[in-house]
Amino acid sequence: MTKPDALIFDTRGGAFPSPQLAPVSAVQLTDAFWAPRLETNRVRTLPTQYLQLEETGCLDNFRRAAGQEGLKFRGWVFADTDLYKWLEAAIWALASGPLPELEARIESAVALIEGAQDTDGYLNTAFMFDRAPERWATINTEGNNHHELYSAGHFFQAAVAHYRATGSERLIAVAKRLADHIAVAIGPGEGQKHGVDAHPEVEMGLVELFRITGERRYLESARYQLDARRGMGRINGAEYPFLPIREYDRLVGHAVCAVYLMAGVADVYAETDEPALGALLERLWANMTQALMYITGGIGPRWDNEAFGADYELPDRAYAETCATVGSIMWSARMLVQEQDAKYADLIELSLYNGFLSGISLDGQSYYYQNVLGDDGTQRRQAWFGCACCPPNMARLFAQLPGYFYSVAPGCVFVNLYASGEAHLTLPADETQEAREVQLIQETNYPWDGRIQITVQSEGKFSIALRLPAWARDVSLSINDEALPNPVAGDYARLTGEWKIGDVIVLDLPMPVRQIVAHPRATSLFGRVALMRGPLVYCFEQEDNPFVDVRDIRITPTSKFTPELDQGLLGGVVALRGDAGVVNEKDWAGALYREASESGEAELEARAVTAIPYYAWANRGAGAMAVWVKRG
Amino acid sequence: MTKPDALIFDTRGGAFPSPQLAPVSAVQLTDAFWAPRLETNRVRTLPTQYLQLEETGCLDNFRRAAGQEGLKFRGWVFADTDLYKWLEAAIWALASGPLPELEARIESAVALIEGAQDTDGYLNTAFMFDRAPERWATINTEGNNHHELYSAGHFFQAAVAHYRATGSERLIAVAKRLADHIAVAIGPGEGQKHGVDAHPEVEMGLVELFRITGERRYLESARYQLDARRGMGRINGAEYPFLPIREYDRLVGHAVCAVYLMAGVADVYAETDEPALGALLERLWANMTQALMYITGGIGPRWDNEAFGADYELPDRAYAETCATVGSIMWSARMLVQEQDAKYADLIELSLYNGFLSGISLDGQSYYYQNVLGDDGTQRRQAWFGCACCPPNMARLFAQLPGYFYSVAPGCVFVNLYASGEAHLTLPADETQEAREVQLIQETNYPWDGRIQITVQSEGKFSIALRLPAWARDVSLSINDEALPNPVAGDYARLTGEWKIGDVIVLDLPMPVRQIVAHPRATSLFGRVALMRGPLVYCFEQEDNPFVDVRDIRITPTSKFTPELDQGLLGGVVALRGDAGVVNEKDWAGALYREASESGEAELEARAVTAIPYYAWANRGAGAMAVWVKRG
């Protein structure tokens, strides 16, 4: 058993030696942006979600499986995953400080899970008693099944988290029995079930369980899931080509399935170095970021089957499921620790601040399943969903978030994300050097301001590598007020030296308002523009612009936007205020189409308009919202 | 029993006295556009569809209901409607000439239906034997049921068609027993089931059955369906406000349901004159045409629940179900015969030539369920569907089509549509005049050419009213070479006089190529343009423009398009050839978003491009297609 208290994905190394993410408990955020959200997650989101687990029958399903009488199974066949994700979230949330009630609920959940496991190691409350004969019955190579492996995968992740955060082996013991059961029941051998789950997830869990226990058969089970699979993400009846996964040249099908699968591929690749998997990961990550991704980091435009569409298919009415953004972050995190390429941390940052954070209300108690980029005011957050995958997935990522801020490698600490706080890190040993402690203090008003000051609290020779986001221009970087030459945006700036306690690094990332356009092949975005500042995507909401339907706003070549910090607005945000053209479309009265020659130049009335960060939309009265507005 | 051999919807009259559509058999089309399509429908589409009815079990379901042993029910619970729509299509198809095999199949189908009816009048092959206890069991005021009334409605339409076309009362007898059963089983009274069908359709059938039989309880049953209904079109689980239908101010929900409902409302309104229904029809028809309709006449953009979206939500990946266009035409036809306003015939024409005709291949044997307006080459027509509503709906409308060309009223014949052919019409009597025969000959190459010559073959005093499409400019109209002043596009030009045999009316509708833009609120169409000529929408298909991805074509302010008749292309079409700008997007390599300031003016390379009529797309090799291309 190895490495308690670390949110890690890889120990293999690559261009950089063995980077891994920081332990969650090693990073204490104290900033005004994330720290309050993480505290809301701890004290409001997790308790209200627990009530949902009780109300929807999720907890009763475990009690029933453990033998309590008079209960019926309720919910989807994968309802167990609601508890597993909540449990993982609760476990990591305790890294930020004790919460006795939460600890008691974790203890109770651990006991529930122990009690629900069958004597042969099987664990899934949907297939007990009269439905026990259905176990593994629908598994096949195209993945049309009951999501038993998907549920197992989420349990493995929760068990690993429990061990890493607390050192307890109680859930690991349950997990090993289940993983041993799976290794016997499913595989390529005679007498085994041949097949995979429609919903990938177990691959990640099995590899992590391998990393903790050293049991290679868990890694083999994970690899078998990739080898046996035909098709990438088939759910909701949609039809896509069923290829062996190594043969895909683009992401297809159910978006959450596809990115969870790629995260699992990354885990298997990290442990096997199979070149075909490495090439697949590079190819599909490029496809996602170059042709399939919303400006918010959201993915999967299609409402009909929660799926990826054609290249450049990016309608305003995005599906962009919150879980898909979470899955994209999980995938990029695994790529990051293998290659420590800044592009992966750039995408994590973009996704966190926009397509992820839009999924939850400021009060932490209602959620978007779909994250549209334009709306007439009808799409609102909900307290829960019949298929409640997204809410506990958000709680889990919030709780893990401190671990994403830094990567550690022998002799080097990588600063992936920016927020005020303290980090107490251990750089691991390698052949040439011993492990060493490194403490850093970050001070910044990021993402509202791009000045970041890092005070070194450890001495000795090591490297500090700062991510310079690709969106940045005119970056400046100094050590103890001495400017460093030519920092390159889109890369880590690696500062190596003999550090003294009190050394101060200042990174300045100017944050002008950027007017962003999309690739011309993205036809629905042609002639339109979106505003960004720093990592944040902005939107126009009706509430701030009552004199116009926000969809009629046009940004002209002379429009200038100014950032203004407004502490009273939406929990404190930098709003963008500027002049835009507002068009009176009244001359269209009654017409939906007309000849171009009838349309003169639109008469623009200059008006002061206000944009707010996209993540904060729909926290006031219902009204129209637009990320993309017209140019011209 | 009244009015054999007429495809009629109304006998009430309005601003014009009692217009009604012409009998199907009264109009013989001889043109090069529609006549071959109608013949394909008779000799290829209907026979291949019959084979599908056999293969999918639809016919066996009737045999089973009639007592044949060893058969299981197959298909959706509304599978019977496939036969009913096919039967109605076959019946009207015989108006164009005898086809012995088709007649035999009609006879056989009539006998099958007679045999399948239960002794109490109930008729639905899905709820026989062991499922008989489920009859009407799921009916409720929000319409979540088994589509038994929907199926009954299609049967009533087929029975009415059989009677009108052949004079036979065999199916009318079955229909009366079923309608009597329904009038007893369902209604507002004590001991009756209170509720409606999720899928409207029965309203139209009941009103037509009332018109033929004079039985007011059928009209009352239809009106009850409207009165009891909460909600417009709820299918596939989507949630919409459940209002009493008279309260809606826009179309919502399942598009086919919504327009079928409105067609039924129009039928009930025609017989009751209830002002709230008349206002509803005007309000929602305006909403559809001013905010919800694709340029092709297609409606219902959403793939997730086959539904209407927000106003101006018109993504290229349209759902635009073929049945929804058929339903829209049925609705407009009912509005047309009540008001004889040219706008309804304009929409019928637009829908027929574009959003309807795109639903079937040139060979008449494969179909689109969804009619997208832009594609990367993956969306192709299919031979049949698991839910096969669209194919027989198309066959039916093709077969009825001659009846749409003219409306007749006392003293006036309205020319609604243009194609070469002969019409032998009877203008009905009213208080002031007797009925009279009117024969007309149309000669035209419409829609390829806008010159229409109508030769009067009857003498006497009556009016001939010609629709001048709203798209027309510089219309000229003459009688015996004498020009008439100031014809007004968008209205009927009513020519009244003492006609002599051999009088010649010439209507000239110039057909320049029109560049069409959409309302600026339709954000996905902003900065884009589509080509139209006459009633036809054009598209760019990869096959004709191999040197460029058609989605990269830009039409510039100086682009000029010329119509060129090409008899060898796609069965003979007028293609549009012109110069467009083609953009090399290579400088975008690897980027999906970038700052607007980085984008200079696109460098356009002038290239000759070719557009074809939209209806004819996807009849060659798979490739990209675009209706809307960029401007600039």
Side-chain angles (χ1 to χ4, degrees):
Chain A
M1 308 281 283
T2 58
K3 298 192 188 58
D5 193 24
L7 179 69
I8 62 160
F9 303 109
D10 180 39
T11 58
R12 182 180 55 104
F16 295 85
S18 300
Q20 60 185 55
L21 292 184
V24 176
S25 63
V27 181
Q28 297 294 326
L29 299 180
T30 58
D31 70 320
F33 190 92
W34 287 113
R37 300 303 294 253
L38 270 54
E39 191 59 14
T40 297
N41 191 52
R42 282 160 43 92
V43 304
R44 210 166 290 152
T45 303
L46 283 168
T48 55
Q49 290 192 355
Y50 189 84
L51 297 181
Q52 292 286 356
L53 298 181
E54 198 64 91
E55 270 182 36
T56 57
C58 174
L59 293 169
D60 273 350
N61 292 341
F62 282 89
R63 296 183 185 115
R64 169 178 170 273
Q68 187 172 327
E69 301 203 348
L71 298 170
K72 278 189 174 176
F73 181 83
R74 284 192 283 157
W76 294 95
V77 292
F78 51 88
D80 291 358
T81 60
D82 293 349
L83 176 61
Y84 297 147
K85 281 187 278 190
W86 179 90
L87 177 60
E88 193 181 347
I91 289 164
W92 292 123
L94 289 179
S96 308
L99 281 172
E101 193 184 25
L102 197 60
E103 283 170 72
R105 283 173 171 170
I106 291 172
E107 281 306 291
S108 148
V110 169
L112 274 180
I113 294 166
E114 287 175 329
Q117 187 168 40
D118 218 333
T119 49
D120 66 352
Y122 185 86
L123 175 61
N124 189 313
T125 72
F127 299 100
M128 304 294 291
F129 310 117
D130 56 314
R131 293 197 71 178
E134 293 180 61
R135 291 175 182 178
W136 313 120
T138 64
I139 208 160
N140 68 61
T141 58
E142 294 175 0
N144 182 21
N145 77 6
H146 283 155
H147 299 325
E148 295 158 278
L149 288 172
Y150 167 73
S151 299
H154 274 300
F155 170 62
F156 293 149
Q157 290 189 319
V160 166
H162 193 235
Y163 169 68
R164 286 187 178 146
T166 70
S168 164
E169 297 184 24
R170 282 173 67 185
L171 285 185
I172 291 293
V174 178
K176 287 171 68 172
R177 283 195 295 273
L178 175 55
D180 291 340
H181 171 95
I182 289 170
V184 171
I186 298 159
E190 223 172 307
Q192 288 184 297
K193 287 272 185 187
H194 309 320
V196 304
D197 198 309
H199 203 315
E201 159 68 29
V202 75
E203 300 79 3
M204 287 183 275
L206 284 166
V207 174
E208 287 285 44
L209 200 62
F210 154 71
R211 287 172 180 153
I212 282 200
T213 63
E215 292 284 4
R216 286 202 72 81
R217 64 181 174 281
Y218 304 155
L219 177 60
E220 289 311 311
S221 276
R223 181 147 66 172
Y224 170 73
Q225 286 293 308
L226 304 185
D227 294 344
R229 172 174 286 276
R230 293 291 173 280
M232 193 179 293
R234 184 191 188 224
I235 281 193
N236 300 338
E239 280 167 30
Y240 303 101
F242 289 130
L243 303 177
I245 61 157
R246 290 165 182 79
E247 294 178 15
Y248 281 94
D249 58 10
R250 68 186 307 274
L251 289 161
V252 296
H254 193 272
V256 177
C257 285
V259 291
Y260 274 43
L261 178 62
M262 288 304 117
V265 168
D267 271 333
V268 172
Y269 176 61
E271 304 300 335
T272 64
D273 265 336
E274 183 193 328
L277 295 182
L280 177 75
L281 290 164
E282 295 286 343
R283 198 162 69 231
L284 299 197
W285 199 89
N287 170 238
M288 177 173 75
T289 53
Q290 293 175 14
L292 301 176
M293 195 183 73
Y294 283 98
I295 190 173
T296 57
I299 47 173
R302 294 190 177 175
W303 282 61
D304 36 325
N305 40 32
E306 310 188 313
F308 282 111
D311 281 356
Y312 305 107
E313 181 184 322
L314 297 163
D316 284 358
R317 185 176 178 252
Y319 199 77
E321 184 178 337
T322 308
C323 279
T325 303
V326 170
S328 164
I329 291 170
M330 297 195 308
W331 178 13
S332 287
R334 283 154 178 77
M335 303 298 282
L336 177 67
V337 294
Q338 290 182 48
E339 302 182 17
Q340 205 59 40
D341 187 323
K343 69 183 179 185
Y344 299 117
D346 277 358
L347 181 58
I348 290 170
E349 177 181 73
L350 177 79
S351 303
L352 283 172
Y353 281 105
N354 302 289
F356 168 73
L357 202 50
S358 62
I360 190 165
S361 59
L362 294 176
D363 71 3
Q365 294 181 88
S366 63
Y367 309 90
Y368 274 134
Y369 197 112
Q370 301 94 359
N371 294 276
V372 300
L373 275 77
D375 190 51
D376 61 0
T378 57
Q379 179 75 0
R380 308 300 289 175
R381 291 189 188 84
Q382 317 259 322
W384 205 247
F385 306 98
C387 172
C389 48
C390 300
N393 225 354
M394 296 203 72
R396 185 171 70 147
L397 185 47
F398 272 123
Q400 295 173 331
L401 192 61
Y404 282 79
F405 272 73
Y406 298 90
S407 298
V408 290
C412 185
V413 53
F414 295 89
V415 188
N416 300 322
L417 298 172
Y418 298 112
S420 287
E422 293 192 27
H424 298 254
L425 304 164
T426 304
L427 307 188
D430 65 4
E431 309 77 39
T432 67
Q433 59 200 308
E434 296 190 349
R436 69 154 58 240
E437 304 297 307
V438 170
Q439 295 183 31
L440 302 176
I441 294 175
Q442 263 200 56
E443 289 164 280
T444 176
N445 283 319
Y446 205 84
W448 309 125
D449 184 89
R451 185 180 189 279
I452 299 135
Q453 174 174 313
I454 293 176
T455 307
V456 182
Q457 299 288 84
S458 308
E459 54 185 15
K461 187 173 183 206
F462 58 92
S463 300
I464 301 173
L466 305 174
R467 179 180 61 94
L468 310 186
W471 54 257
R473 300 281 177 277
D474 306 320
V475 177
S476 59
L477 186 57
S478 67
I479 301 177
N480 297 333
D481 290 330
E482 193 168 321
L484 300 177
N486 304 325
V488 178
D491 204 352
Y492 281 89
R494 189 167 178 143
L495 314 180
T496 306
E498 283 285 346
W499 298 97
K500 300 182 303 295
I501 293 174
D503 279 346
V504 172
I505 304 166
V506 173
L507 170 63
D508 198 29
L509 304 170
M511 289 184 169
V513 179
R514 310 197 301 285
Q515 296 190 14
I516 306 293
V517 293
H519 193 290
R521 189 71 60 81
T523 49
S524 69
L525 302 179
F526 183 70
R528 301 170 71 194
V529 61
L531 299 181
M532 290 189 74
R533 181 172 178 269
L536 290 170
V537 174
Y538 278 73
C539 70
F540 293 92
E541 209 176 18
Q542 203 58 68
E543 183 97 3
D544 306 302
N545 303 282
F547 46 84
V548 62
D549 187 300
V550 294
R551 294 165 292 184
D552 292 339
I553 290 173
R554 297 200 194 194
I555 292 182
T556 66
T558 60
S559 292
K560 290 266 181 287
F561 284 86
T562 311
E564 290 181 20
L565 181 63
D566 185 340
Q567 291 292 6
L569 182 64
L570 295 163
V573 300
V574 167
L576 306 183
R577 304 199 206 272
D579 280 326
V582 167
V583 188
N584 182 336
E585 310 292 11
K586 288 219 177 70
D587 64 326
W588 274 84
L592 180 53
Y593 302 102
R594 68 183 187 193
E595 287 189 52
S597 54
E598 297 170 36
S599 307
E601 284 301 299
E603 280 185 38
L604 297 177
E605 182 189 353
R607 294 298 295 252
V609 293
T610 299
I612 60 161
Y614 169 71
Y615 75 79
W617 88 279
N619 278 288
R620 296 172 293 180
M625 180 277 290
V627 169
W628 293 98
V629 294
K630 293 162 212 160
R631 297 176 75 191
Chain B
M1 307 280 282
T2 59
K3 298 191 188 57
D5 192 23
L7 180 69
I8 62 159
F9 303 109
D10 178 38
T11 58
R12 182 179 56 104
F16 294 86
S18 299
Q20 61 185 55
L21 292 183
V24 176
S25 63
V27 181
Q28 296 294 325
L29 299 179
T30 57
D31 71 318
F33 190 91
W34 287 113
R37 301 302 293 255
L38 269 54
E39 191 58 14
T40 297
N41 190 51
R42 282 159 45 90
V43 304
R44 210 167 287 153
T45 304
L46 283 168
T48 54
Q49 291 194 353
Y50 190 84
L51 297 181
Q52 292 286 356
L53 298 181
E54 198 63 271
E55 270 183 36
T56 57
C58 175
L59 293 169
D60 274 349
N61 292 342
F62 282 90
R63 294 182 187 116
R64 169 178 170 272
Q68 187 171 327
E69 301 204 347
L71 297 171
K72 279 190 174 175
F73 181 83
R74 285 192 283 157
W76 295 94
V77 292
F78 51 87
D80 291 358
T81 60
D82 292 351
L83 176 61
Y84 298 147
K85 280 188 278 190
W86 179 90
L87 177 60
E88 194 181 346
I91 289 164
W92 292 123
L94 289 179
S96 308
L99 281 172
E101 193 183 25
L102 197 60
E103 283 169 72
R105 284 173 171 169
I106 290 171
E107 282 305 291
S108 148
V110 168
L112 274 179
I113 293 166
E114 287 174 328
Q117 187 167 39
D118 218 333
T119 49
D120 66 351
Y122 185 86
L123 174 61
N124 189 313
T125 72
F127 299 101
M128 304 294 292
F129 311 117
D130 56 315
R131 294 197 71 180
E134 292 179 60
R135 291 175 183 179
W136 313 121
T138 64
I139 208 161
N140 69 60
T141 59
E142 294 176 359
N144 181 21
N145 77 5
H146 283 154
H147 298 327
E148 294 158 278
L149 287 172
Y150 167 73
S151 299
H154 274 301
F155 171 62
F156 294 149
Q157 289 189 319
V160 167
H162 192 236
Y163 169 67
R164 286 187 177 147
T166 69
S168 163
E169 296 183 24
R170 282 173 67 184
L171 286 184
I172 291 293
V174 177
K176 287 171 70 174
R177 284 195 293 273
L178 175 55
D180 291 339
H181 171 94
I182 290 170
V184 171
I186 298 158
E190 224 174 304
Q192 289 183 296
K193 289 270 185 187
H194 310 320
V196 304
D197 197 310
H199 204 314
E201 159 68 28
V202 76
E203 299 80 5
M204 286 183 275
L206 284 166
V207 174
E208 288 286 43
L209 199 61
F210 154 69
R211 287 172 180 154
I212 282 200
T213 63
E215 294 282 5
R216 286 202 72 83
R217 65 180 174 280
Y218 303 156
L219 177 60
E220 290 310 312
S221 277
R223 181 147 66 172
Y224 171 73
Q225 286 293 306
L226 304 185
D227 294 344
R229 172 175 285 277
R230 293 291 174 281
M232 194 178 294
R234 183 190 189 223
I235 281 193
N236 301 337
E239 280 166 33
Y240 304 101
F242 290 130
L243 304 177
I245 61 157
R246 290 165 182 79
E247 294 179 15
Y248 282 94
D249 57 10
R250 66 186 309 274
L251 290 161
V252 297
H254 192 272
V256 177
C257 285
V259 291
Y260 275 43
L261 178 61
M262 288 304 117
V265 168
D267 271 333
V268 172
Y269 176 61
E271 304 301 335
T272 64
D273 265 336
E274 183 193 329
L277 295 182
L280 177 76
L281 290 164
E282 295 285 343
R283 198 161 69 231
L284 299 197
W285 198 89
N287 170 238
M288 177 173 77
T289 53
Q290 293 174 14
L292 301 176
M293 196 183 73
Y294 283 98
I295 191 173
T296 57
I299 48 174
R302 294 191 176 174
W303 282 61
D304 36 324
N305 40 30
E306 310 188 313
F308 282 110
D311 282 356
Y312 307 107
E313 180 183 323
L314 297 161
D316 285 358
R317 185 176 178 252
Y319 198 78
E321 184 179 338
T322 308
C323 279
T325 304
V326 171
S328 164
I329 291 170
M330 296 195 308
W331 178 14
S332 287
R334 283 155 177 76
M335 303 299 281
L336 178 67
V337 294
Q338 290 182 49
E339 303 183 17
Q340 205 59 41
D341 187 323
K343 69 183 179 185
Y344 299 116
D346 276 358
L347 181 58
I348 291 170
E349 177 182 72
L350 177 79
S351 303
L352 283 171
Y353 281 105
N354 303 289
F356 168 73
L357 202 50
S358 63
I360 191 166
S361 59
L362 293 176
D363 71 3
Q365 294 181 89
S366 63
Y367 309 91
Y368 275 133
Y369 196 111
Q370 301 93 0
N371 294 276
V372 300
L373 276 76
D375 191 52
D376 62 359
T378 56
Q379 179 75 358
R380 309 298 288 175
R381 293 189 187 85
Q382 317 262 319
W384 205 246
F385 306 97
C387 171
C389 48
C390 299
N393 225 353
M394 295 202 73
R396 185 172 69 147
L397 185 48
F398 272 125
Q400 294 172 330
L401 192 59
Y404 283 79
F405 272 73
Y406 298 90
S407 297
V408 290
C412 185
V413 53
F414 296 89
V415 188
N416 300 321
L417 299 171
Y418 297 111
S420 287
E422 292 191 27
H424 297 253
L425 304 164
T426 303
L427 308 188
D430 66 5
E431 308 78 37
T432 66
Q433 59 200 310
E434 296 191 345
R436 70 154 58 241
E437 305 297 306
V438 171
Q439 294 184 30
L440 302 176
I441 294 175
Q442 264 201 55
E443 290 165 281
T444 176
N445 283 318
Y446 205 85
W448 309 125
D449 183 89
R451 185 180 190 278
I452 298 136
Q453 175 173 314
I454 293 176
T455 308
V456 182
Q457 299 289 84
S458 306
E459 54 186 15
K461 186 172 183 206
F462 57 91
S463 300
I464 300 174
L466 303 174
R467 180 179 60 95
L468 309 186
W471 54 257
R473 299 281 178 277
D474 305 320
V475 177
S476 59
L477 184 57
S478 68
I479 301 177
N480 297 333
D481 290 330
E482 191 170 321
L484 300 177
N486 304 324
V488 178
D491 204 352
Y492 282 88
R494 191 167 177 144
L495 315 180
T496 305
E498 283 285 345
W499 299 98
K500 299 181 304 295
I501 292 173
D503 279 347
V504 172
I505 303 166
V506 173
L507 170 63
D508 198 29
L509 304 169
M511 288 184 169
V513 179
R514 310 196 301 284
Q515 297 190 15
I516 306 292
V517 294
H519 192 290
R521 188 72 60 81
T523 49
S524 69
L525 303 179
F526 184 70
R528 301 171 71 194
V529 61
L531 300 180
M532 290 188 74
R533 181 172 178 271
L536 290 170
V537 174
Y538 278 73
C539 70
F540 293 92
E541 209 176 16
Q542 205 58 69
E543 183 96 4
D544 306 301
N545 303 282
F547 46 84
V548 60
D549 187 300
V550 294
R551 293 165 294 183
D552 292 339
I553 290 173
R554 297 200 194 195
I555 292 183
T556 66
T558 59
S559 292
K560 290 266 180 287
F561 284 85
T562 311
E564 289 182 19
L565 181 62
D566 185 340
Q567 291 292 6
L569 183 63
L570 295 162
V573 299
V574 167
L576 305 183
R577 302 198 208 276
D579 280 326
V582 168
V583 188
N584 182 337
E585 310 292 11
K586 290 220 177 68
D587 65 325
W588 274 84
L592 180 52
Y593 303 102
R594 68 183 186 193
E595 288 188 52
S597 54
E598 297 171 35
S599 306
E601 285 300 300
E603 279 185 36
L604 297 176
E605 182 190 352
R607 296 297 295 253
V609 294
T610 300
I612 60 161
Y614 169 72
Y615 76 79
W617 88 279
N619 278 288
R620 297 172 293 181
M625 179 277 289
V627 168
W628 293 98
V629 293
K630 294 163 213 159
R631 297 175 75 190

